[in-house]
Amino acid sequence: MNPQHAINRHWWDEVTPVHVESAFYDVEGFLRGNSTLGRVERGAVGEVSGKRLLHLQCHFGMDTLSWARLGAEVVGIDFSPAAVRQADDLARRAGLDGVACFFEADVTSAGRVSGGGFDVVFTSFGTIVWLSDLEGWADTIVANLAEDGFFYFLDAHPASMMFDESVATPTVAYDYFHRADPGLEASGTPDYANPDYRIQSPSRQFEWAMTEIFGVLEARGLTIFEIREYPFGAWRHFPDMEEGPDGYWYRAAGEWRLPLLLGFKAGKRSPLAA
Ligand SMILES: C[S@@+](CC[C@H](N)C(=O)[O-])C[C@H]1O[C@@H](n2cnc3c(N)ncnc32)[C@H](O)[C@@H]1O
């Protein structure tokens, strides 16, 4: 495995059991029927009943299984054996193991998964920041997408990733463009799902500019469409942000309105083609 990803896999193997037990992920609520999908991704992906959906970097499967509850036949891949084990377990507990499969794979070298040909390839929230290589990521998307399917991406807007998350006034603390050798994030940082837990493993995280993301997909012949930017986020990017009733995070009234989420689709066929 790519040595940068090996460092990150260790980090994810450590935090996954903490996440499963956390109020943040609320597994009990999920088992009672709560969905972890928000209005943005549900609206963009649309009707999934009867469709095959591949979820890249699925963590322990809550979003994947939420799509399954909406009628999709789902496959999730993640490089963390701890996450895949927990996802299998959650599928069984939710009674969805007949329509959901999980595989351990690095998303940058997964090749064709379960025969490929997926109607939807989906990824959201906290994904490419973990990848040192978007070329392999794009290869995996192309290898698995049906000719008339689409890839849907929803994650932190690359511009939002430049800012220091500890201060309310936007303060640039990180590069906008990709840097191949970012510093190692030291051990001892609080976990995002359970801040009382201090993570022992280091990690390495990568910035990717919007044109770098689009560029690798376009270079493989995909057409990018339905590009959307949102002034709310999937987490607390700034200390003044509050969670709304829809589960997204909003800046206080009067603060700078910044692009915090980026959503887009990509497909082998242009939606404008006749
Ligand atoms: C923040 S989580 C995914 C977001 C998901 N929406 C969630 O919160 O449940 C990121 C996931 O990416 C996985 N991951 C990181 N790098 C990966 C890689 N190179 N290949 C496959 N999975 C990877 C981690 O194991 C983790 O489960």
Side-chain angles (χ1 to χ4, degrees):
M1 175 180 279
N2 162 339
Q4 319 264 36
H5 289 187
I7 292 171
N8 288 341
R9 185 168 69 165
H10 200 264
W11 193 95
W12 280 103
D13 280 341
E14 180 186 340
V15 300
T16 296
V18 178
H19 289 185
V20 172
E21 296 301 323
S22 68
F24 178 95
Y25 278 98
D26 186 19
V27 167
E28 288 309 316
F30 173 79
L31 289 171
R32 284 196 302 274
N34 294 348
S35 172
T36 55
L37 301 170
R39 63 183 169 87
V40 174
E41 56 269 39
R42 273 183 76 157
V45 171
E47 182 58 63
V48 293
S49 184
K51 294 193 175 165
R52 294 182 68 233
L53 181 147
L54 174 64
H55 184 188
L56 307 180
Q57 298 180 244
C58 63
H59 201 23
F60 63 97
M62 294 180 87
D63 286 359
T64 331
L65 295 170
S66 294
W67 287 118
R69 279 185 175 149
L70 294 172
E73 185 191 319
V74 297
V75 177
I77 62 169
D78 200 285
F79 73 170
S80 157
V84 172
R85 231 179 3 256
Q86 295 284 357
D88 279 334
D89 184 55
L90 192 60
R92 263 192 307 280
R93 291 169 70 196
L96 292 164
D97 42 337
V99 288
C101 292
F102 294 95
F103 296 108
E104 185 185 319
D106 187 314
V107 74
T108 63
S109 57
R112 185 168 290 195
V113 180
S114 284
F118 286 88
D119 303 299
V120 181
V121 177
F122 171 80
T123 202
S124 75
F125 304 144
T127 57
I128 56 173
V129 69
W130 298 101
L131 308 182
S132 65
D133 161 29
L134 284 195
E135 303 275 335
W137 174 76
D139 287 340
T140 298
I141 293 163
V142 171
N144 285 291
L145 201 51
E147 286 303 311
D148 55 357
F150 62 85
F151 168 59
Y152 180 65
F153 173 102
L154 182 65
D155 210 332
H157 195 295
S160 74
M161 300 296 284
M162 295 191 299
F163 300 114
D164 183 342
E165 293 200 341
S166 65
V167 288
T169 305
T171 306
V172 174
Y174 304 98
D175 286 300
Y176 176 68
F177 291 100
H178 180 67
R179 177 190 289 276
D181 57 347
L184 208 57
E185 182 156 333
S187 56
T189 53
D191 178 48
Y192 67 82
N194 177 359
D196 292 337
Y197 181 83
R198 300 278 156 172
I199 305 169
Q200 297 309 305
S201 312
S203 68
R204 220 183 264 286
Q205 299 181 31
F206 300 87
E207 312 302 335
W208 292 103
M210 186 136 70
T211 47
E212 291 167 341
I213 302 168
F214 292 165
V216 289
L217 298 170
E218 284 173 339
R220 283 156 183 77
L222 298 189
T223 300
I224 315 291
F225 59 102
E226 288 187 30
I227 302 167
R228 303 284 184 270
E229 297 169 291
Y230 303 92
F232 48 84
W235 57 80
R236 184 178 263 136
H237 289 260
F238 299 99
D240 67 303
M241 289 174 77
E242 297 288 345
E243 190 175 9
D246 58 2
Y248 299 107
W249 289 78
Y250 293 81
R251 299 214 70 192
E255 290 292 352
W256 296 110
R257 284 164 53 79
L258 300 172
L260 297 180
L261 282 184
L262 170 69
F264 70 89
K265 289 181 183 167
K268 293 181 179 174
R269 285 198 196 137
S270 164
L272 300 178

